[in-house]
Amino acid sequence: MHNLLVINGTEFPTPEGSFDVKYKDTTNEYNGENGKKTIEIIRRDVCSISVTYNGLEEDRANTLHNALSTVNEVTFRKKGIMVTVEMKLSDVSVPKKYYKNGLSVWGMSFSLEEL
């Protein structure tokens, strides 16, 4: 078994929430003088990842949250091949899910987009 996600050297556990990897092509579109539309592919398979954890103990949630920065070195499987790329972080959310008798459980979600 391999890790789904390693961010800045920190191994992130397999999320019990969701782990979604999407690919898109970066394109340049323009209309020529003859009115014909031209689409140039600038870059293929730019990856974005969204991750949701439904419940993490407070210490684990803090460790994972502290591993994240605006630009991250991320290791994951891209179409079956292990790669390490720089990715931009966005949409970070860390909601409290449960607290009772000293037990604190937190959720966490975030998105990454390949630079």
Side-chain angles (χ1 to χ4, degrees), residues 79-95:
K79 295 189 171 183
I81 300 169
M82 192 64 78
V83 297
T84 300
V85 298
E86 284 192 335
M87 300 185 92
K88 180 183 175 190
L89 177 71
S90 63
D91 303 324
V92 178
S93 176
V94 187

Side-chain angles (χ1 to χ4, degrees), residues 76-110:
F76 67 102
R77 289 202 180 271
K78 184 174 183 178
K79 295 189 171 183
I81 300 169
M82 192 64 78
V83 297
T84 300
V85 298
E86 284 192 335
M87 300 185 92
K88 180 183 175 190
L89 177 71
S90 63
D91 303 324
V92 178
S93 176
V94 187
K96 182 176 72 169
K97 298 289 187 172
Y98 177 84
Y99 179 81
K100 188 171 185 178
N101 298 327
L103 175 63
S104 183
V105 178
W106 295 79
M108 177 186 281
S109 64
F110 57 90

Side-chain angles (χ1 to χ4, degrees), residues 4-19:
L4 288 178
L5 199 59
V6 178
I7 301 175
N8 299 325
T10 300
E11 295 177 6
F12 278 62
T14 301
E16 74 289 345
S18 66
F19 183 82

Side-chain angles (χ1 to χ4, degrees), residues 9-112:
T10 300
E11 295 177 6
F12 278 62
T14 301
E16 74 289 345
S18 66
F19 183 82
D20 189 23
V21 180
K22 295 181 181 179
Y23 301 96
K24 68 178 179 181
D25 294 337
T26 303
T27 60
N28 181 29
E29 298 181 21
Y30 59 90
N31 291 321
E33 290 180 13
N34 62 358
K36 185 175 180 181
K37 186 178 212 173
T38 301
I39 300 174
E40 297 175 329
I41 297 176
I42 307 298
R43 189 168 163 210
R44 291 189 184 275
D45 297 329
V46 177
C47 183
S48 62
I49 300 172
S50 60
V51 179
T52 302
Y53 292 98
N54 292 334
L56 297 165
E57 290 185 357
E58 185 173 19
D59 289 343
R60 186 67 170 146
N62 289 337
T63 299
L64 297 178
H65 190 242
N66 289 333
L68 300 172
S69 62
T70 302
V71 176
N72 301 276
E73 184 176 274
V74 180
T75 302
F76 67 102
R77 289 202 180 271
K78 184 174 183 178
K79 295 189 171 183
I81 300 169
M82 192 64 78
V83 297
T84 300
V85 298
E86 284 192 335
M87 300 185 92
K88 180 183 175 190
L89 177 71
S90 63
D91 303 324
V92 178
S93 176
V94 187
K96 182 176 72 169
K97 298 289 187 172
Y98 177 84
Y99 179 81
K100 188 171 185 178
N101 298 327
L103 175 63
S104 183
V105 178
W106 295 79
M108 177 186 281
S109 64
F110 57 90
S111 297
L112 298 163

